[in-house]
Amino acid sequence: MNVNVRGKNIVVTPALKEYVEKKITKITRQFKTVGDISAVLKVEKGNHIVEITVPASGILIRAQETTKDMYSSIDLVVEKIERQVHKYKTRLAKRKYSNFVEPVPAPEVEAAPEEEFKIIKNKKFSMNPMTAEEAILQMNLLDHDFFVYYDPDYGGVNVVYRRKDGNYGLLQPELK
């Protein structure tokens, strides 16, 4: 496990970096495997923003907090991640599920001709086989409105999304 602490509009002092690493160590003890952790410390208009991303045991946990003090922001974002970990582990315990299987590579997507559409960002990611319920849990942990995942029972890529009424939807594509 490696902790990458970066600063935007702030110089990351050794004391600040050590504080972030110490706080994050508490979280990582709860997982079997932990990837490289990313912590971004920013100062914008007097607000101290901390965003931490933790890839652990097949899931990705991300949280962000803003206060007027950097140390308070770090404490709050770590508390938020701890709550997410607790929520995640509680749901797994209810289903008696211990870990995800090996990741499945993401399918390649062909881009449209350049003159029609301009792609400004291309993002690749690995997908773990999971059920719709696990995908909704992951979507909520990331605080996203949709989540793309591979469903081994369906045999393909699906998308779950949050509807405006607060419920969830499922997209299951079919090839013609």
Side-chain angles (χ1 to χ4, degrees), residues 100-119:
F100 289 106
V101 294
E102 292 298 314
V104 176
E108 294 292 324
V109 178
E110 289 187 27
E114 241 181 271
E115 50 274 359
E116 288 184 33
F117 301 101
K118 183 177 180 183
I119 297 174

Side-chain angles (χ1 to χ4, degrees), residues 90-159:
T90 302
R91 288 189 181 173
L92 287 183
K94 286 180 184 175
R95 284 187 254 142
K96 295 182 174 88
Y97 191 72
S98 65
N99 209 346
F100 289 106
V101 294
E102 292 298 314
V104 176
E108 294 292 324
V109 178
E110 289 187 27
E114 241 181 271
E115 50 274 359
E116 288 184 33
F117 301 101
K118 183 177 180 183
I119 297 174
I120 59 170
K121 185 173 181 179
N122 183 8
K123 187 173 183 179
K124 293 184 180 184
F125 58 96
S126 60
M127 288 192 288
N128 295 318
M130 58 180 68
T131 64
E133 291 80 17
E134 292 166 341
I136 290 171
L137 174 62
Q138 182 68 51
M139 177 182 66
N140 289 334
L141 285 172
L142 294 172
D143 196 27
H144 286 173
D145 294 324
F146 70 94
F147 189 77
V148 179
Y149 70 100
Y150 177 80
D151 187 341
D153 297 333
Y154 173 71
V157 176
N158 291 340
V159 178

Side-chain angles (χ1 to χ4, degrees), residues 76-101:
L76 290 174
V77 78
V78 168
E79 286 176 17
K80 187 182 266 188
I81 289 176
E82 286 174 338
R83 283 192 305 272
Q84 290 177 359
V85 168
H86 177 72
K87 182 177 175 181
Y88 171 73
K89 288 201 165 233
T90 302
R91 288 189 181 173
L92 287 183
K94 286 180 184 175
R95 284 187 254 142
K96 295 182 174 88
Y97 191 72
S98 65
N99 209 346
F100 289 106
V101 294

